[in-house]
Coordinates of all heavy atoms in Angstrom, one line a residue:
P87 N -78.5 36.8 -37.0 CA -77.8 35.5 -37.0 C -77.5 35.0 -35.6 O -77.6 35.7 -34.6 CB -76.5 35.8 -37.7 CG -76.3 37.3 -37.5 CD -77.6 37.9 -37.4
A88 N -77.1 33.8 -35.5 CA -76.8 33.2 -34.2 C -75.7 34.0 -33.5 O -74.7 34.3 -34.1 CB -76.4 31.7 -34.3
G89 N -75.9 34.2 -32.2 CA -74.9 34.9 -31.4 C -74.8 36.4 -31.6 O -74.0 37.0 -31.0
N90 N -75.7 36.9 -32.3 CA -75.7 38.4 -32.6 C -77.1 39.0 -32.3 O -78.0 38.7 -33.1 CB -75.3 38.6 -34.0 CG -74.9 40.1 -34.3 OD1 -75.3 41.0 -33.5 ND2 -74.2 40.3 -35.3
R91 N -77.2 39.7 -31.3 CA -78.4 40.4 -30.9 C -78.2 41.9 -30.7 O -77.4 42.3 -29.9 CB -79.0 39.8 -29.6 CG -79.6 38.4 -29.8 CD -80.9 38.5 -30.7 NE -81.5 37.2 -30.9 CZ -81.1 36.3 -31.9 NH1 -80.1 36.6 -32.7 NH2 -81.7 35.1 -32.0
G92 N -78.8 42.7 -31.6 CA -78.6 44.1 -31.5 C -79.7 44.8 -30.7 O -80.5 44.1 -30.0
P93 N -79.8 46.1 -30.7 CA -80.7 46.8 -29.9 C -82.2 46.7 -30.4 O -83.1 47.0 -29.7 CB -80.2 48.2 -29.9 CG -79.5 48.3 -31.2 CD -78.9 47.0 -31.4
Y94 N -82.4 46.3 -31.7 CA -83.7 46.4 -32.3 C -84.4 45.1 -32.1 O -83.8 44.0 -32.0 CB -83.6 46.7 -33.7 CG -82.8 48.0 -34.0 CD1 -81.6 48.0 -34.7 CD2 -83.3 49.2 -33.5 CE1 -80.9 49.2 -34.9 CE2 -82.5 50.4 -33.7 CZ -81.4 50.4 -34.4 OH -80.6 51.5 -34.6
T95 N -85.7 45.2 -32.0 CA -86.6 44.0 -31.7 C -86.6 43.1 -33.0 O -86.8 43.5 -34.1 CB -88.0 44.4 -31.4 OG1 -88.0 45.3 -30.3 CG2 -88.9 43.2 -31.2
E96 N -86.3 41.8 -32.7 CA -86.3 40.8 -33.8 C -87.7 40.4 -34.1 O -88.5 40.0 -33.2 CB -85.5 39.6 -33.4 CG -85.3 38.5 -34.5 CD -84.4 37.4 -34.2 OE1 -84.7 36.8 -33.1 OE2 -83.5 37.1 -34.9
T97 N -88.1 40.4 -35.4 CA -89.5 40.2 -35.7 C -89.8 39.1 -36.7 O -90.9 38.6 -36.9 CB -90.2 41.5 -36.2 OG1 -89.3 42.1 -37.2 CG2 -90.4 42.5 -35.1
F98 N -88.7 38.7 -37.5 CA -89.0 37.7 -38.5 C -89.4 36.3 -37.9 O -90.3 35.7 -38.5 CB -87.8 37.6 -39.4 CG -88.0 36.6 -40.6 CD1 -88.8 37.0 -41.6 CD2 -87.4 35.4 -40.6 CE1 -89.1 36.1 -42.7 CE2 -87.6 34.5 -41.6 CZ -88.5 34.9 -42.7
P99 N -88.7 35.8 -36.9 CA -89.2 34.5 -36.4 C -90.6 34.5 -35.9 O -91.3 33.5 -36.1 CB -88.2 34.3 -35.1 CG -87.0 35.0 -35.5 CD -87.5 36.3 -36.2
G100 N -91.1 35.7 -35.4 CA -92.5 35.8 -35.1 C -93.4 35.7 -36.3 O -94.5 35.1 -36.2
L101 N -93.0 36.2 -37.4 CA -93.7 36.1 -38.7 C -93.9 34.7 -39.1 O -94.9 34.2 -39.5 CB -93.1 36.9 -39.8 CG -93.7 36.7 -41.2 CD1 -95.1 37.2 -41.2 CD2 -92.8 37.5 -42.2
I102 N -92.8 33.9 -39.0 CA -92.8 32.5 -39.3 C -93.8 31.8 -38.4 O -94.6 31.0 -38.9 CB -91.4 31.9 -39.3 CG1 -90.5 32.5 -40.3 CG2 -91.5 30.4 -39.5 CD1 -91.0 32.4 -41.7
D103 N -93.7 32.0 -37.1 CA -94.7 31.4 -36.2 C -96.1 31.7 -36.5 O -97.0 30.9 -36.5 CB -94.4 31.8 -34.8 CG -93.0 31.3 -34.2 OD1 -92.5 30.3 -34.8 OD2 -92.5 31.8 -33.3
Y104 N -96.3 33.0 -36.8 CA -97.7 33.5 -37.2 C -98.2 32.8 -38.5 O -99.3 32.3 -38.5 CB -97.7 35.0 -37.3 CG -99.1 35.5 -37.7 CD1 -100.1 35.7 -36.8 CD2 -99.4 35.8 -39.1 CE1 -101.3 36.2 -37.1 CE2 -100.6 36.3 -39.4 CZ -101.6 36.5 -38.4 OH -102.8 36.9 -38.8
T105 N -97.3 32.7 -39.5 CA -97.7 32.1 -40.7 C -98.0 30.6 -40.6 O -99.0 30.1 -41.1 CB -96.6 32.3 -41.8 OG1 -96.2 33.7 -41.9 CG2 -97.0 31.8 -43.1
K106 N -97.2 29.9 -39.8 CA -97.5 28.5 -39.5 C -98.9 28.4 -38.8 O -99.6 27.4 -39.1 CB -96.4 27.9 -38.6 CG -95.1 27.7 -39.3 CD -94.1 27.1 -38.3 CE -92.7 26.8 -38.9 NZ -91.8 26.3 -37.9
A107 N -99.1 29.2 -37.9 CA -100.4 29.1 -37.1 C -101.6 29.3 -38.0 O -102.7 28.8 -37.7 CB -100.4 30.2 -36.0
Q108 N -101.5 30.1 -39.1 CA -102.6 30.3 -40.0 C -102.7 29.1 -41.0 O -103.6 29.1 -41.9 CB -102.3 31.5 -40.8 CG -102.1 32.8 -40.0 CD -103.2 33.0 -39.0 OE1 -104.4 32.9 -39.3 NE2 -102.8 33.3 -37.8
G109 N -101.8 28.1 -40.9 CA -101.9 27.0 -41.8 C -101.3 27.3 -43.2 O -101.6 26.5 -44.1
V110 N -100.5 28.3 -43.3 CA -100.0 28.7 -44.6 C -98.6 28.0 -44.8 O -97.8 28.1 -43.9 CB -99.8 30.2 -44.7 CG1 -99.1 30.6 -46.0 CG2 -101.1 30.9 -44.5
P111 N -98.4 27.3 -45.9 CA -97.1 26.6 -46.1 C -96.0 27.6 -46.2 O -96.1 28.7 -46.7 CB -97.3 25.9 -47.5 CG -98.8 25.9 -47.7 CD -99.4 27.1 -47.0
I112 N -94.8 27.2 -45.6 CA -93.6 28.0 -45.7 C -92.5 27.1 -46.3 O -92.7 25.9 -46.3 CB -93.2 28.5 -44.3 CG1 -92.8 27.4 -43.4 CG2 -94.3 29.4 -43.7 CD1 -92.1 27.9 -42.1
P113 N -91.5 27.7 -46.8 CA -90.4 26.8 -47.4 C -89.9 25.8 -46.5 O -89.7 26.0 -45.3 CB -89.3 27.9 -47.8 CG -90.0 29.1 -48.0 CD -91.2 29.1 -47.0
A114 N -89.7 24.6 -47.0 CA -89.3 23.5 -46.2 C -88.0 23.7 -45.4 O -87.9 23.3 -44.2 CB -89.1 22.2 -47.0
W115 N -87.1 24.5 -46.0 CA -85.8 24.7 -45.2 C -86.0 25.6 -44.0 O -85.3 25.5 -43.0 CB -84.8 25.3 -46.2 CG -84.9 26.7 -46.6 CD1 -85.6 27.1 -47.7 CD2 -84.5 27.9 -46.0 NE1 -85.6 28.5 -47.8 CE2 -84.9 29.0 -46.8 CE3 -83.7 28.1 -44.8 CZ2 -84.6 30.3 -46.4 CZ3 -83.4 29.5 -44.5 CH2 -83.9 30.5 -45.3
L116 N -87.1 26.4 -44.0 CA -87.4 27.2 -42.9 C -88.0 26.3 -41.8 O -87.8 26.5 -40.6 CB -88.3 28.4 -43.2 CG -87.7 29.6 -43.9 CD1 -88.7 30.6 -44.3 CD2 -86.7 30.3 -42.9
T117 N -88.9 25.5 -42.2 CA -89.6 24.6 -41.3 C -88.6 23.6 -40.6 O -88.7 23.3 -39.4 CB -90.6 23.7 -42.1 OG1 -91.6 24.6 -42.7 CG2 -91.4 22.8 -41.1
N118 N -87.6 23.2 -41.3 CA -86.7 22.1 -40.8 C -85.5 22.7 -40.1 O -84.7 21.9 -39.6 CB -86.3 21.2 -42.0 CG -87.4 20.5 -42.6 OD1 -88.4 20.2 -42.0 ND2 -87.3 20.2 -43.9
R119 N -85.4 24.0 -40.0 CA -84.2 24.5 -39.4 C -84.2 24.2 -37.9 O -85.2 24.5 -37.2 CB -84.1 26.1 -39.6 CG -83.5 26.5 -40.9 CD -83.4 28.0 -41.0 NE -82.6 28.6 -39.9 CZ -81.3 28.5 -39.8 NH1 -80.6 27.9 -40.7 NH2 -80.7 29.1 -38.8
P120 N -83.1 23.7 -37.3 CA -83.1 23.4 -35.9 C -83.0 24.7 -35.0 O -83.4 24.6 -33.8 CB -81.8 22.6 -35.7 CG -80.9 23.0 -36.8 CD -81.9 23.3 -38.0
A121 N -82.6 25.8 -35.6 CA -82.4 27.0 -34.8 C -83.3 28.1 -35.4 O -83.7 28.1 -36.6 CB -81.0 27.5 -34.8
R122 N -83.7 29.1 -34.6 CA -84.5 30.2 -35.1 C -83.7 31.3 -35.6 O -84.3 32.3 -36.2 CB -85.4 30.7 -33.9 CG -86.5 29.7 -33.5 CD -87.1 30.2 -32.2 NE -87.8 31.5 -32.3 CZ -89.1 31.6 -32.8 NH1 -89.7 30.6 -33.2 NH2 -89.6 32.8 -32.8
S123 N -82.4 31.3 -35.5 CA -81.5 32.3 -36.0 C -81.3 32.3 -37.5 O -81.6 31.2 -38.1 CB -80.2 32.3 -35.3 OG -79.6 31.0 -35.4
A124 N -80.9 33.4 -38.1 CA -80.7 33.5 -39.5 C -79.5 32.6 -39.9 O -78.6 32.4 -39.1 CB -80.4 34.9 -39.9
P125 N -79.6 32.0 -41.1 CA -78.5 31.1 -41.5 C -77.2 31.8 -42.0 O -76.2 31.1 -42.3 CB -79.1 30.3 -42.6 CG -80.1 31.2 -43.2 CD -80.7 32.0 -42.1
W126 N -77.3 33.1 -42.1 CA -76.1 33.9 -42.6 C -75.4 34.6 -41.5 O -76.0 35.3 -40.7 CB -76.5 34.9 -43.7 CG -77.6 34.3 -44.6 CD1 -77.3 33.5 -45.7 CD2 -79.0 34.6 -44.6 NE1 -78.5 33.2 -46.3 CE2 -79.5 33.8 -45.6 CE3 -79.8 35.4 -43.8 CZ2 -80.9 33.8 -45.9 CZ3 -81.2 35.4 -44.0 CH2 -81.7 34.6 -45.1
I127 N -74.1 34.3 -41.3 CA -73.4 34.9 -40.2 C -73.2 36.4 -40.2 O -73.1 37.1 -39.2 CB -72.1 34.1 -39.9 CG1 -71.5 34.5 -38.6 CG2 -71.1 34.4 -41.1 CD1 -70.3 33.6 -38.2
N128 N -73.2 36.9 -41.5 CA -73.0 38.3 -41.6 C -73.4 38.7 -43.1 O -73.9 37.9 -43.8 CB -71.5 38.7 -41.4 CG -70.5 37.9 -42.2 OD1 -70.8 37.4 -43.4 ND2 -69.4 37.6 -41.7
K129 N -73.3 40.0 -43.4 CA -73.7 40.5 -44.7 C -73.0 39.8 -45.8 O -73.6 39.5 -46.9 CB -73.5 42.0 -44.8 CG -73.9 42.6 -46.1 CD -73.8 44.1 -46.1 CE -73.9 44.7 -47.5 NZ -75.3 44.5 -48.1
A130 N -71.7 39.6 -45.7 CA -70.9 38.9 -46.7 C -71.4 37.5 -47.1 O -71.6 37.2 -48.2 CB -69.4 38.8 -46.3
A131 N -71.8 36.8 -46.0 CA -72.3 35.4 -46.2 C -73.7 35.5 -46.9 O -74.1 34.7 -47.8 CB -72.4 34.7 -44.9
F132 N -74.5 36.5 -46.5 CA -75.8 36.8 -47.1 C -75.7 37.0 -48.6 O -76.4 36.5 -49.4 CB -76.5 37.9 -46.4 CG -77.8 38.4 -47.0 CD1 -79.0 37.8 -46.5 CD2 -77.8 39.4 -47.9 CE1 -80.2 38.3 -47.1 CE2 -79.0 39.8 -48.5 CZ -80.2 39.2 -48.1
E133 N -74.7 37.9 -48.9 CA -74.5 38.2 -50.4 C -74.1 37.0 -51.2 O -74.5 36.9 -52.3 CB -73.6 39.4 -50.5 CG -74.1 40.7 -49.9 CD -75.3 41.2 -50.6 OE1 -75.6 40.8 -51.8 OE2 -76.0 42.1 -50.0

Side-chain angles (χ1 to χ4, degrees):
N90 193 342
R91 286 293 180 272
Y94 305 116
T95 302
E96 184 175 55
T97 49
F98 184 73
L101 171 64
I102 295 302
D103 291 342
Y104 178 82
T105 305
K106 288 179 179 178
Q108 305 306 314
V110 178
I112 66 172
W115 70 269
L116 280 174
T117 301
N118 298 331
R119 277 184 57 75
R122 289 172 61 85
S123 55
W126 317 284
I127 191 171
N128 52 33
K129 178 177 171 61
F132 174 90
E133 294 297 339

